[in-house]
Amino acid sequence: MNELLITRILTPPVRPGLVARERLRTVLRAGFAQGLTLITAPAGSGKTTLLTQALADAQADDPRLGVAWLALDAGDNDPVRFWRYLLAALERAAPGAWQHAEVMLRAAATHPGEALVTALLNSAAALEHPLLLVLDDYHLISTPEIHTSLALLIEYAPPQLRVVLASRTVPPLPLERLRVRRSLTELRPADLGFTLAEAQALFGPVLGLELDPPAMAALVARTEGWGAGLILAAHSARNRSHPTQVATLFSGAAPAVLDYVIGEVLAGQPVELRTFLLQTAALDRFSVELCAAVLDPVASEPAAQALLDQVDRANLFLIALDDEQRWFRYHHLFAEALRTALARSDPDQLRATRRKAATWLAEHSAPAEAIGYALAAEAWPLATELIGTMGQSTLLSGEVATLQNWLAALPQKVVQQTPRLLLLNAWMRVLSSDLDGATQLAGNVTGNDHLGREAQMIATTVAILRGHPAPSALLEPIQSEPADDPFLQAMAALNGGFMAQFAGDVKLAIPNLNEAARLGAAHRNDLITFIALCQLGEIELLRGRPRAAAARYAQARTYTRDPAAPAALLDSAAQEGLGVVAYELGDLAQAHDLISVSLDDNSVLDDLAAVDAHLCLADIATLQNDRERIDTHLAAADNVAQRLQLTVFTNLVAAHSARINARTGRLAAAVRWMEQVDAAPDRALPLLVYEIEDLTRAHVLSTLGRPAAALVLAERVAATAAAADRGRHLVEAHILRSQALRQLGRLAEALEVRTAAEHLARPEGLVAVFLEAGEPPPDPVILPVNTEVSPDQLTEREQEVLRLIAAGLSNQEIAEHLIVAPSTVKKHINRLFAKLAVSSRTQALVLARERGMI
């Protein structure tokens, strides 16, 4: 034994202060009683450390247990050398028991085989006490002859001899037979990943570094529990003034990780496999087909499969993404380290790989993923083409940030020279509240072709959002969009609805918004559908029908239930609407909660909703006599309107403020507002604004003790609101009329008008409008929500689903009939239920038959 390195057959000592990892040690202690215990995991996973802990546990449980340890190296691929070291380890653990085997080894010359294994097995069978043969770093063995002999030893080992292997790769041994015989205990890469609790124990007691729980959780996620990664991160954290930053800043490009991956992982791989790893590391996820397409030179799919199988067997941080194991990715830190290495050694190769990936993904129906690779490869023509194709659907799905990132990644010169990208940028600016930017960008695209018409639609949308009157120049494009462009058709209907709404024309707004919702649903444009439904909710509030409004908002929210759903980013608009419904019904606590939550987002539609939200919160604060909150919310509403240059909203906020000032004793401020408005009678504003201002004047005049003047204004509003179905304004006008008549001593008329207000308000449960005027509300009549959904408000697909439900088909049968996924059917049914305000198939069928839908 003089020529053998003794330290290779010494069991490593258990270092003090290690993380206990009891869950894994328990598995190993139980496994040591079986034929083979196999630990396979990448470098730095803590295999050896875990083994020494578990062996110490096992020997503490059974002091008679012997341990023969052998730390393998690449030189052990010589069969004679391998068995000499293995026998030396066994001899150290059980002296004098292996003499016959040693004789067989000397006799075998260069090819020890079955005879040697037989001698070993016979010697092991004569042992009085159990013995564990531990082979560490078995991945270094590649000689088939050794694998064959060791497989024989494992399969026929007597109960006294158990084998333990630690390896970075899965060894070519008869593992399946051992699994069937239940003679195998396995720990795989996922098992060895550090849990949050283990990572905290590693950082605190072991490494002496404390991170707060959120930072620790982020770091565990970042390293995916990789032990070496956590230790490298700890060393990195010690060099930072703020250690918690390591959770977000630690990456595969960190020098320590890069050196570890290159030195410990890549260095030992064959050249072909190293090349495969470096080229495919540019991919966020990959299949065999994608790997074959990006390799240089391009490989066949069988060749790519063979290389991927090698990566899998070598445990090189490969993670399957599906049960069928068609798609994979690398461990994040490992992939980042490989990309960094390739970017330094051959940046052209990295760009070429990404360009090939972009082309393949675009050809295989994954354009959004392809865009990311094209941008990373700086393949501007390809990226421009793909963004031009995908941009509108991305925008209409509410993914404004995604589109913004794509456009920002392109050279600005490319964007400025591409009309399609200019228009996408303009629409994005509309949704992100930059109305000036949207106007400027759209102005750079002219003509009568499709792009020119879209640019004109953007200008129309901005003008309407700012509350400008609807001159014929804005009406013309709304009336003339061709049938071959469903997006512009839907936008035209939506804009028509907005314009009619601002004008207070309920009868024109409803069909326009219904058409926008229909077109949006028919062409899977959930964003426009959502917006149209929310605006219909506002119309119902204007009509004095909060229950019907609630049904519209609930219907809109069916498009936002999934956080990744198309309209999810704009959900606060519906949330705010439901808050206003609660306010109108007199539930101030619920109204406050719903509206407060809705004020988080900042798209232009959320900003428009935010104006109403702050005004409603100001009304709630007024009813609660909270002056500080009144001023806060009025200022916030005005700030939004001023920032977006929304003329109609600045006037509405001013009128609202004046009404609250009159109610809370700030008459001087209310009078100043009235004087300013009276001094500018020719302002170009929508009719609805003038009507609200008349109602506010009536409030102020009544408070000033001028009932006759207040009566004139209130009667004028009552006449116009009644004719136009603006029921909320009509109830408010009646209340103001009754108050003015009482002040004038005309009590019988006052009672009659008050009764008319109650008659309108009671069925709908209107309460707030009375509270605002300081009047006691009538007792409401409890009625169900009135959705008034008609067949033409259901999409064609929803009507078809309704008919199939009536025919008794299950969700699965409907999916097969329509040739869609069951999840798609469920989505249609959920929307159908929301529109009908029902919760079951039976209720839906009863209601549908009552309304003649089926």
Side-chain angles (χ1 to χ4, degrees):
M1 282 184 54
N2 291 337
E3 72 274 23
L4 298 181
L5 187 61
I6 189 66
T7 54
R8 290 182 54 203
I9 59 174
L10 297 177
T11 304
V14 178
R15 299 198 308 274
L18 294 176
V19 179
R21 310 199 80 185
E22 280 296 335
R23 63 185 178 91
L24 300 179
R25 290 160 69 170
T26 300
V27 172
L28 288 179
R29 285 202 302 273
F32 290 159
Q34 297 187 357
L36 174 64
T37 299
L38 176 62
I39 307 174
T40 55
S45 297
K47 298 182 294 295
T48 301
T49 299
L50 178 62
L51 256 181
T52 60
Q53 291 174 310
L55 289 171
D57 294 339
Q59 287 185 308
D61 293 340
D62 183 0
R64 301 174 306 160
L65 177 67
V67 175
W69 180 282
L70 173 57
L72 297 164
D73 67 22
D76 293 328
N77 278 291
D78 180 331
V80 172
R81 178 183 170 93
F82 174 86
W83 288 108
R84 285 181 67 197
Y85 265 105
L86 189 147
L87 277 170
L90 290 171
E91 177 66 20
R92 182 174 179 80
W98 315 97
Q99 294 178 0
H100 183 55
E102 289 174 357
V103 170
M104 295 300 300
L105 178 59
R106 286 194 294 271
T110 58
H111 295 288
E114 186 173 341
L116 171 61
V117 173
T118 301
L120 275 174
L121 292 171
N122 289 336
S123 298
L127 292 174
E128 295 181 2
H129 305 296
L131 185 146
L132 291 176
L133 171 61
V134 182
L135 302 179
D136 195 18
D137 290 334
Y138 191 76
H139 56 274
L140 296 171
I141 302 303
S142 57
T143 304
E145 181 182 334
I146 295 176
H147 295 318
T148 301
S149 298
L150 186 64
L152 186 65
L153 177 69
I154 293 169
E155 284 205 80
Y156 292 98
Q160 294 93 321
L161 180 65
R162 303 125 192 199
V163 180
V164 181
L165 300 183
S167 174
R168 295 182 185 178
T169 64
V170 178
L173 298 172
L175 301 180
E176 195 55 45
R177 287 206 300 273
L178 293 172
R179 289 189 187 104
V180 172
R181 287 160 46 182
R182 297 185 179 180
S183 298
L184 174 63
T185 296
E186 293 179 89
L187 287 180
R188 300 179 182 180
D191 301 316
L192 268 72
F194 275 67
T195 65
L196 177 58
E198 290 170 345
Q200 288 171 325
L202 175 67
F203 263 56
V206 177
L207 299 177
L209 181 66
E210 295 292 340
L211 292 185
D212 59 54
M216 195 72 248
L219 185 59
V220 171
R222 187 82 185 87
T223 60
E224 299 185 66
W226 180 36
L230 287 166
I231 293 171
L232 293 171
H235 291 310
S236 175
R238 287 198 180 94
N239 298 323
R240 299 180 186 276
S241 56
H242 300 287
T244 54
Q245 291 178 334
V246 73
T248 54
L249 300 179
F250 188 65
S251 73
V257 179
L258 197 58
D259 291 345
Y260 191 91
V261 168
I262 293 173
E264 288 290 328
V265 181
L266 279 187
Q269 306 305 325
V271 173
E272 186 180 30
L273 193 57
R274 262 201 318 269
T275 301
F276 178 84
L277 288 169
L278 287 168
Q279 291 184 3
T280 56
L283 307 173
D284 296 322
R285 66 183 189 109
F286 46 85
S287 62
V288 170
E289 297 84 355
L290 180 52
C291 287
V294 303
L295 292 179
D296 185 19
V298 175
S300 66
E301 289 181 16
Q305 180 69 65
L307 286 164
L308 195 59
D309 289 342
Q310 285 187 53
V311 173
D312 190 24
R313 287 194 300 272
N315 266 337
L316 291 173
F317 301 94
L318 185 68
I319 298 171
L321 297 177
D322 54 24
D323 293 337
E324 294 79 18
Q325 296 202 340
R326 291 193 63 250
W327 287 92
F328 303 86
R329 70 168 175 88
Y330 293 123
H331 184 292
H332 295 311
L333 291 179
F334 182 64
E336 288 174 2
L338 292 178
R339 287 172 199 156
T340 301
L342 184 59
R344 293 177 181 177
S345 63
D346 194 349
D348 290 339
Q349 177 66 63
L350 182 60
R351 282 192 291 271
T353 299
R354 286 169 168 162
R355 187 166 53 250
K356 291 177 183 177
T359 301
W360 188 90
L361 288 163
E363 292 171 352
H364 289 79
S365 303
E369 202 172 350
I371 290 170
Y373 287 111
L375 291 171
E378 298 180 355
W380 308 132
L382 177 59
T384 299
E385 178 185 353
L386 290 171
I387 294 172
T389 302
M390 277 290 297
Q392 188 178 93
S393 61
T394 302
L395 182 70
L396 294 176
S397 71
E399 298 177 35
V400 180
T402 298
L403 181 58
Q404 187 174 26
N405 291 337
W406 287 347
L407 295 176
L410 287 169
Q412 284 307 296
K413 184 178 180 180
V414 172
V415 176
Q416 292 166 2
Q417 293 176 348
T418 311
R420 175 74 266 169
L421 299 187
L422 283 174
L423 293 177
L424 287 172
N425 200 351
W427 282 118
M428 183 186 70
R429 300 294 181 89
V430 170
L431 282 174
S432 59
S433 302
D434 183 4
L435 301 184
D436 286 338
T439 301
Q440 182 179 354
L441 288 166
N444 293 328
V445 180
T446 58
N448 294 319
D449 60 356
H450 172 85
L451 294 177
R453 295 198 312 274
E454 188 171 340
Q456 192 175 15
M457 185 65 73
I458 291 171
T460 301
T461 302
V462 171
I464 292 170
L465 287 173
R466 284 186 167 157
H468 293 176
S472 57
L474 294 184
L475 283 171
E476 288 174 5
I478 289 180
Q479 305 296 332
S480 60
E481 285 307 327
D484 62 351
D485 192 330
F487 166 65
L488 289 184
Q489 271 194 315
M491 278 304 304
L494 187 63
N495 280 340
F498 270 119
M499 289 167 60
Q501 182 180 354
F502 283 145
D505 192 335
V506 170
K507 294 177 181 177
L508 180 59
I510 289 176
N512 271 281
L513 293 171
N514 275 333
E515 177 67 2
R518 185 191 69 80
L519 287 168
H523 297 281
R524 297 183 179 179
N525 184 341
D526 286 359
L527 185 61
I528 285 180
T529 307
F530 172 83
I531 294 169
L533 290 171
C534 283
Q535 295 312 117
L536 284 166
E538 284 200 27
I539 293 293
E540 295 297 350
L541 287 171
L542 180 59
R543 296 175 74 190
R545 293 154 48 94
R547 290 191 175 90
R552 290 297 192 181
Y553 289 123
Q555 187 180 344
R557 296 194 79 189
T558 62
Y559 294 85
T560 67
R561 286 174 179 165
D562 181 350
L569 292 177
L570 301 174
D571 183 57
S572 60
Q575 182 104 339
E576 181 271 336
L578 289 170
V580 175
V581 167
Y583 170 75
E584 293 289 4
L585 295 174
D587 190 341
L588 302 187
Q590 184 184 29
H592 181 273
D593 291 345
L594 285 169
I595 295 173
S596 296
V597 171
S598 78
L599 288 171
D600 293 335
D601 296 326
N602 63 348
S603 76
V604 67
L605 288 165
D606 288 319
D607 280 330
L608 293 176
V611 175
D612 289 336
H614 283 297
L615 292 180
C616 192
L617 289 173
D619 282 330
I620 294 172
T622 301
L623 294 175
Q624 296 171 341
N625 198 27
D626 189 332
R627 186 74 247 181
E628 183 178 353
R629 282 199 297 129
I630 293 171
D631 292 342
T632 297
H633 289 300
L634 289 177
D638 188 57
N639 287 339
V640 175
Q642 296 286 353
R643 173 169 55 82
L644 296 179
Q645 301 178 37
L646 302 172
T647 305
V648 64
F649 286 95
T650 56
N651 282 272
L652 288 174
V653 171
H656 209 96
S657 298
R659 180 165 57 84
I660 288 178
N661 284 333
R663 291 163 58 190
T664 56
R666 293 183 175 182
L667 279 175
V671 170
R672 280 196 302 274
W673 167 83
M674 193 165 59
E675 291 172 345
Q676 291 168 359
V677 170
D678 290 341
D682 298 326
R683 294 167 301 146
L685 293 170
L687 172 62
L688 191 62
V689 178
Y690 290 124
E691 188 166 275
I692 292 172
E693 288 182 344
D694 277 351
L695 287 168
T696 303
R697 280 195 192 93
H699 275 286
V700 175
L701 291 168
S702 181
T703 306
L704 289 171
R706 297 171 57 187
L711 182 60
V712 171
L713 289 171
E715 288 180 338
R716 183 166 72 189
V717 170
T720 57
D725 195 19
R726 295 189 287 272
R728 214 283 186 178
H729 288 183
L730 179 57
V731 172
E732 186 175 0
H734 281 334
I735 294 171
L736 288 168
R737 288 176 63 207
S738 70
Q739 289 178 332
L741 288 167
R742 280 203 305 270
Q743 287 177 311
L744 293 169
R746 296 157 61 179
L747 301 183
E749 292 175 74
L751 179 59
E752 182 181 349
V753 175
R754 162 77 191 201
T755 301
E758 291 181 358
H759 177 75
L760 292 170
R762 185 179 289 112
E764 287 294 334
L766 285 175
V767 169
V769 66
F770 290 89
L771 298 177
E772 289 171 1
E775 293 281 330
D779 295 330
V781 176
I782 305 302
L783 293 175
V785 170
N786 178 16
T787 58
E788 292 192 357
V789 176
S790 60
D792 62 351
Q793 290 172 334
L794 299 180
T795 66
E796 293 180 6
R797 180 51 60 91
E798 287 164 354
Q799 292 181 46
E800 187 173 8
V801 168
L802 183 60
R803 288 192 293 270
L804 294 172
I805 290 174
L809 273 64
S810 68
N811 285 12
Q812 182 62 45
E813 291 168 334
I814 294 174
E816 293 171 358
H817 179 86
L818 299 178
I819 316 178
V820 297
S823 59
T824 302
V825 172
K826 188 174 181 181
K827 182 178 179 182
H828 287 310
I829 291 175
N830 284 339
R831 291 180 179 174
L832 184 64
F833 284 4
K835 289 182 178 182
L836 297 175
V838 298
S839 58
S840 71
R841 283 171 166 243
T842 302
Q843 291 174 356
L845 292 176
V846 170
L847 196 60
R849 290 190 178 102
E850 287 178 355
R851 297 181 181 177
M853 295 180 175
I854 54 176

